[in-house]
């Protein structure tokens, strides 16, 4: 479905009219869960995940057969401040690797039967250096939001949104700090492996940006200190809500993007779960602010949607048990 917005204000209007969970499906899923051949609560969090998934799919006995992974790639003008251990051309090189099936996210998507697509977002035109000017114009951020929105397949039944972009941990840190408060040092980390001097430059860049821009509005914060790939993730998560497609959030960068929706509209992330806890230090704090408990903690810090893609298997297992198990009556087992 093509995005039905062309300004930030019209995007805000769409968010205000967001789809709500199907309470009848939740009730039906709870009832079914109570009849399955297991002691109450024996499958722990898998039971909660299946019921949550059922509510968003509007089906008390759902299936999960068509997961989708979308990767958004963008370049950042703030790289001019020496905030990354890698040059900006690596973004385009990794996009080519995605397209040829050579990245970790390709293997994870294939493992769990997910359709994967990658969107290179004006890589030859990096965002402005947000230490001197807003990262994007309104037209640029709206275009990026539309790209994310339009990337979501309405026929999919689960979404993972990933990213690639040299310098984007700096943008994510600036965005998280703008949205959730604290000091720049609370949110900046080593990303792909910057040394102490690089970390100091990242922290200084974030602090300078937040002194320069008015980021009191979440979407303006995205425009001023975010990036195209972060905006793409925001648009994709919002579109998934419209289609009743549950979302697994990836690591620090993806979760920073999701925080825009969290601050923009109450309950805007109710259709999402956190796939994993990233090794990027501020991710734990970010998840706590959003009230999300990660499904996995494997020390991942790759990005690309890799942690969230790995968690697809957890959600598939939850749904398979919920919908595939026999009830006590069906199995002829005494329920005590």
């Amino acid at each position: 479905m093509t995005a039905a917005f062309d300004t930030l204000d019209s995007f805000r209007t769409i968010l205000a009219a967001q789809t709500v969970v199907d309470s009848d499906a939740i009730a039906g899923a709870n009832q079914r869960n109570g009849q399955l051949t297991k002691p109450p609560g024996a499958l722990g969090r898998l039971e909660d995940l299946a019921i949550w998934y059922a509510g968003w799919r509007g089906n008390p006995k759902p299936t999960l057969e068509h997961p989708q992974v979308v990767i958004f790639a963008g370049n950042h003008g703030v790289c001019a401040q020496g905030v990354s251990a890698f040059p900006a051309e690596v973004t385009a090189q990794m996009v080519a690797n995605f397209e040829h099936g050579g990245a970790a996210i390709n293997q994870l998507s294939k493992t769990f039967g997910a359709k994967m697509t990658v969107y290179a977002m004006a890589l030859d035109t990096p965002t402005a250096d947000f230490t001197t000017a807003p990262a994007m114009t309104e037209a640029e951020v709206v275009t990026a939001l539309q790209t994310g929105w339009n990337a979501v397949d309405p026929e999919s039944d689960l979404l993972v949104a990933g990213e690639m972009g040299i310098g984007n941990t700096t943008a994510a840190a600036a965005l998280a700090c703008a949205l959730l408060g604290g000091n720049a040092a609370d949110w900046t980390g080593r990303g792909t492996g910057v040394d102490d001097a690089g970390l100091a430059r990242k922290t200084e860049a974030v602090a300078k940006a937040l002194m320069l821009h008015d980021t009191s509005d979440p979407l303006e914060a995205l425009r001023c200190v975010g990036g195209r790939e972060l905006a793409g993730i925001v648009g994709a998560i919002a579109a998934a809500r419209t289609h009743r497609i549950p979302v697994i959030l990836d690591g620090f960068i993806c979760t920073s993007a999701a925080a825009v929706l969290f601050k923009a509209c109450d309950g805007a992330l109710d259709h999402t779960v956190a796939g994993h806890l990233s090794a990027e230090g501020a991710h734990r704090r970010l998840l706590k602010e959003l009230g999300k408990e990660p499904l996995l903690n494997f020390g991942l810090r790759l990005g690309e949607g890799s942690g969230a893609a790995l968690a697809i298997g957890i959600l598939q297992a939850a749904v398979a048990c919920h919908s595939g198990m026999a009830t006590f009556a069906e199995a002829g087992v005494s329920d005590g």
Side-chain angles (χ1 to χ4, degrees):
M1 183 175 70
T2 302
F5 59 89
D6 55 10
T7 64
L8 287 179
D9 279 343
S10 55
F11 185 64
R12 290 186 183 95
T13 300
I14 287 175
L15 294 181
Q18 61 188 354
T19 304
V20 297
V21 72
D22 187 326
S23 58
D24 289 339
I26 290 280
N30 269 305
Q31 182 180 29
R32 175 174 175 77
N33 184 57
Q35 298 171 350
L36 297 178
T37 46
K38 59 177 178 57
L43 286 176
R45 196 173 173 193
L46 289 182
E47 298 180 22
D48 299 332
L49 285 169
I51 293 165
W52 165 82
Y53 183 84
W56 284 105
R57 293 303 291 162
N59 182 352
K61 190 180 176 181
T63 58
L64 201 174
E65 298 174 339
H66 303 290
Q68 180 183 15
V69 174
V70 287
I71 310 298
F72 303 102
N75 276 325
H76 296 263
V78 73
C79 285
Q81 301 299 320
V83 298
S84 177
F86 290 89
E89 54 262 32
V90 170
T91 303
Q93 292 166 358
M94 281 302 299
V95 167
N97 193 31
F98 297 146
E99 291 173 341
H100 290 102
I105 189 59
N106 297 98
Q107 317 320 316
L108 292 166
S109 298
K110 188 186 305 181
T111 296
F112 298 110
K115 178 180 72 174
M116 184 195 134
T117 48
V118 58
Y119 294 83
M121 305 175 77
L123 297 185
D124 293 335
T125 308
T127 56
D129 179 353
F130 60 52
T131 67
T132 61
M136 293 173 282
T137 65
E138 178 168 355
E140 287 172 332
V141 74
V142 167
T143 296
L145 287 165
Q146 290 172 333
T147 298
W149 184 284
N150 295 337
V152 177
D153 181 358
E155 299 303 314
S156 63
D157 50 20
L158 181 67
L159 179 71
V160 165
E163 43 62 41
M164 176 63 210
I166 297 302
N168 65 8
T169 55
T170 305
L175 190 56
C177 192
L179 295 168
L180 300 170
N183 299 315
D186 297 333
W187 297 103
T188 49
R190 296 189 183 274
T192 51
V194 293
D195 58 16
D196 289 347
L199 179 58
R201 289 190 295 270
K202 287 180 74 169
T203 303
E204 182 180 0
V206 170
K208 187 174 181 180
L210 297 181
M211 289 288 291
L212 179 64
H213 305 295
D214 180 0
T215 57
S216 54
D217 175 82
L219 291 176
E220 277 297 299
L222 177 64
R223 182 181 76 83
C224 290
V225 301
R228 290 185 179 90
E229 76 274 42
L230 277 77
I233 290 170
V234 172
I237 293 172
R241 176 72 170 252
T242 299
H243 300 304
R244 293 192 176 278
I245 300 170
V247 175
I248 303 179
L249 301 177
D250 193 44
F252 178 63
I253 296 158
C254 175
T255 311
S256 293
V260 172
L261 296 170
F262 176 79
K263 296 296 287 187
C265 188
D266 288 344
L269 297 182
D270 288 352
H271 66 306
T272 72
V273 291
H276 75 123
L277 175 64
S278 168
E280 184 73 2
H283 191 212
R284 184 185 298 275
R285 175 176 178 172
L286 186 52
L287 289 174
K288 184 176 180 180
E289 292 277 357
L290 271 55
K292 299 292 183 184
E293 183 70 26
L295 298 179
L296 300 169
N297 182 0
F298 279 12
L300 304 180
R301 58 181 182 88
L302 179 62
E304 304 180 2
S306 54
L310 184 59
I312 292 173
I314 301 294
L315 198 52
Q316 286 175 329
V319 173
C321 288
H322 175 84
S323 297
M325 286 177 67
T327 65
F328 284 103
E330 290 167 342
V333 175
S334 176
D335 64 1

